[in-house]
């Protein structure tokens, strides 16, 4: 249970850091304009996940709040908010400390280092440029931990639950990003596609593969259906299916377990998508279809996590009367 949530928090911290960096780089650019289509959409992702004050995406309230250049760094280090990036890093350290005996010395050093580096002295503040530098350092440490875990951990059930947490969280973060940025046809512009690919760490892959202008179909292909891209939803679900198939279960049962059924269903659904259909000349015709598909995928992910937790990670046993206990139960 602890290693499962350790990697979920690690992946959550990475996704938030990448999103914040993409926003921050655009806000601090000399060519920054509040009219950029991608900024409100990316801020909406932060707001929905509790990283930012909701007023920043409401036109009537936004003008009454401090500028986003000031509000963004403050929200990142607001430890009173459980969803802030600083709080997520603290939760990551606490999860790692509980499973200290399952982590190598180097992994533990990385976790303690990122917690120390991504913090501010009491009553001090950081501007947006300073925040971007700290985020760059945080992403390097998170990548170092992921690399050490991948290369050093034996492939036991502990490693499988660690990677399950990573894949489920990355799948969720990818779908939330796509739903918030691509649901509105008016926001489907090359600058938006570039921002999405930056957050998903897939811009270089897109450019090397398609050698063309940024378009909706190829972006969805790369981030939703491409099972060779380690950042795509399909890759995450294929890995989840592999892990749940390898977990202990009653092999006399002819049917799938609940978690197997849910994972295979999600993978099959995304494999059947025709992403080129969303590049329709009539964007309104594809709006509801794309939005409903992404919403359906997103709603199904918690059920997979709950099924895994219920079968393998729930420690409570069924209630029994005292008279039912035998000597062997004590």
């Amino acid at each position: 249970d602890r290693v499962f949530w350790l990697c979920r928090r690690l992946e959550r911290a990475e996704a938030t850091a990448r999103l914040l960096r993409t926003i921050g780089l655009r806000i601090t650019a000399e060519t920054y304009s509040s009219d950029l289509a991608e900024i409100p959409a990316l801020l909406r992702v932060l707001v929905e996940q509790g990283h930012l004050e909701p007023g920043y995406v409401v036109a009537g309230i936004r003008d009454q709040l401090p500028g986003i250049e000031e509000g963004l760094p403050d929200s990142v280090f607001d430890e009173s908010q459980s969803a802030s990036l600083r709080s997520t890093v603290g939760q990551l350290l606490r999860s790692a400390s509980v499973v200290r005996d399952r982590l190598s010395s180097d992994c533990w050093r990385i976790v303690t280092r990122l917690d120390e580096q991504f913090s501010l002295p009491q009553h001090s503040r950081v501007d947006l440029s300073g925040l971007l530098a700290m985020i760059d350092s945080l992403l390097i440490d998170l990548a170092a931990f992921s690399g050490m875990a991948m290369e050093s951990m034996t492939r036991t059930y502990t490693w499988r639950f660690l990677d399950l947490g990573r894949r489920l969280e990355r799948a969720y973060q990818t779908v939330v990003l796509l739903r918030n940025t691509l649901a509105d046809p008016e926001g489907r512009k090359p600058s938006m596609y570039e921002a999405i690919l930056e957050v998903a760490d897939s811009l270089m892959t897109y450019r090397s593969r398609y050698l063309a202008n940024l378009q909706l179909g190829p972006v969805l292909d790369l981030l939703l259906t491409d099972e060779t891209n380690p950042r795509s939803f399909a890759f995450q679900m294929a890995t989840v299916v592999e892990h749940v198939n390898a977990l202990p279960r009653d092999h006399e049962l002819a049917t799938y377990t609940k978690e197997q059924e849910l994972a295979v269903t999600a993978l099959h659904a995304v494999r059947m998508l025709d992403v080129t259909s969303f590049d329709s000349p009539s964007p309104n015709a594809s709006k509801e279809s794309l939005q409903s598909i992404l919403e359906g995928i997103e709603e199904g992910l918690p059920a997979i996590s709950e099924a895994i937790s219920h079968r393998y990670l729930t420690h409570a046993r069924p209630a029994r009367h005292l008279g039912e206990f035998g000597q062997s139960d004590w």
Side-chain angles (χ1 to χ4, degrees):
D1 181 72
R2 294 294 183 175
V3 296
F4 178 77
W5 281 101
L6 166 63
C7 230
R8 289 204 67 165
R9 286 167 178 143
L10 184 143
E11 189 61 36
R12 190 173 301 169
E14 180 181 341
T16 304
R18 290 187 179 280
L19 179 60
L20 286 166
R21 184 172 65 179
T22 298
I23 295 172
L25 288 173
R26 281 158 175 74
I27 293 176
T28 56
E30 293 183 0
T31 57
Y32 169 66
S33 169
S34 59
D35 295 331
L36 291 175
E38 62 269 27
I39 296 298
L42 296 176
L43 290 177
R44 191 160 55 244
V45 181
L46 289 177
V47 167
E48 181 175 300
Q49 297 188 344
H51 302 298
L52 188 65
E53 164 64 42
Y56 280 104
V57 295
V58 180
I61 302 177
R62 182 168 54 242
D63 297 337
Q64 304 174 21
L65 297 173
I68 189 63
E69 299 88 346
E70 301 177 23
L72 199 59
D74 289 343
S75 67
V76 167
F77 291 100
D78 185 1
E79 295 194 64
S80 66
Q81 299 296 324
S82 61
S84 71
L85 183 53
R86 174 55 237 174
S87 295
T88 302
V89 171
Q91 294 163 10
L92 173 61
L93 176 66
R94 288 190 289 274
S95 295
S97 65
V98 176
V99 293
R100 173 70 182 84
D101 59 322
R102 302 296 182 98
L103 302 177
S104 69
S105 298
D106 286 333
C107 282
W108 176 247
R109 291 190 189 99
I110 293 169
V111 172
T112 55
R113 169 188 157 84
L114 65 87
D115 180 70
E116 293 170 358
Q117 296 294 322
F118 199 76
S119 61
L120 294 176
Q122 193 172 11
H123 304 305
S124 65
R125 300 185 64 185
V126 64
D127 60 15
L128 193 53
S129 297
L131 173 63
L132 289 174
M134 295 180 72
I135 286 177
D136 283 339
S137 178
L138 175 66
L139 286 170
I140 291 173
D141 287 336
L142 291 171
F145 181 90
S146 298
M148 289 298 302
M150 182 63 65
E151 297 300 326
S152 301
M153 291 188 70
T154 55
R155 285 351 188 212
T156 59
Y157 291 130
T158 297
W159 176 81
R160 289 198 181 277
F161 280 105
L162 191 78
D163 203 48
L164 267 172
R166 176 196 304 280
R167 301 306 168 188
L168 286 171
E169 187 66 32
R170 184 174 293 180
Y172 176 77
Q173 295 292 338
T174 299
V175 173
V176 169
L177 174 67
L178 293 176
R179 177 177 57 78
N180 278 282
T181 53
L182 297 179
D184 183 5
E186 294 183 1
R188 297 175 189 172
K189 300 177 181 179
S191 60
M192 178 73 81
Y193 303 149
E194 182 176 4
I196 294 170
L197 291 168
E198 279 184 26
V199 176
D201 196 24
S202 297
L203 184 58
M204 181 189 68
T205 304
Y206 185 98
R207 287 173 173 169
S208 63
R209 175 177 298 179
Y210 295 104
L211 301 175
N213 294 330
L214 294 164
Q215 299 175 359
L216 178 62
V219 169
L220 289 174
D221 174 50
L222 189 60
L223 298 183
L224 266 184
T225 62
D226 184 2
E227 294 183 43
T228 67
N229 179 16
R231 293 284 174 175
S232 77
F233 179 85
F235 184 96
Q236 314 315 314
M237 296 317 303
T239 307
V240 169
V241 169
E242 177 185 343
H243 285 321
V244 296
N245 286 342
L247 293 177
R249 62 189 181 92
D250 186 354
H251 292 282
E252 294 182 0
L253 295 177
T255 59
Y256 280 149
T257 61
K258 185 65 174 179
E259 62 275 9
Q260 284 179 304
E261 178 185 340
L262 292 169
V264 169
T265 299
L267 178 59
H268 178 72
V270 79
R271 280 175 172 172
M272 297 301 293
L273 280 180
D274 178 12
V275 294
T276 60
S277 66
F278 300 118
D279 262 329
S280 168
S282 175
N284 289 330
S286 64
K287 175 184 177 181
E288 291 187 1
S289 178
L290 177 58
Q291 184 170 357
S292 62
I293 287 173
L294 293 174
E295 288 176 351
I297 292 173
E298 182 183 343
E299 290 172 1
L301 289 173
I304 301 175
S305 179
E306 290 171 8
I308 292 172
S309 298
H310 180 74
R311 182 176 295 273
Y312 300 103
L313 305 180
T314 302
H315 304 297
R317 301 179 65 181
R320 297 167 64 182
H321 294 292
L322 287 177
E324 298 176 6
F325 284 92
Q327 188 66 31
S328 60
D329 292 310
W330 296 93

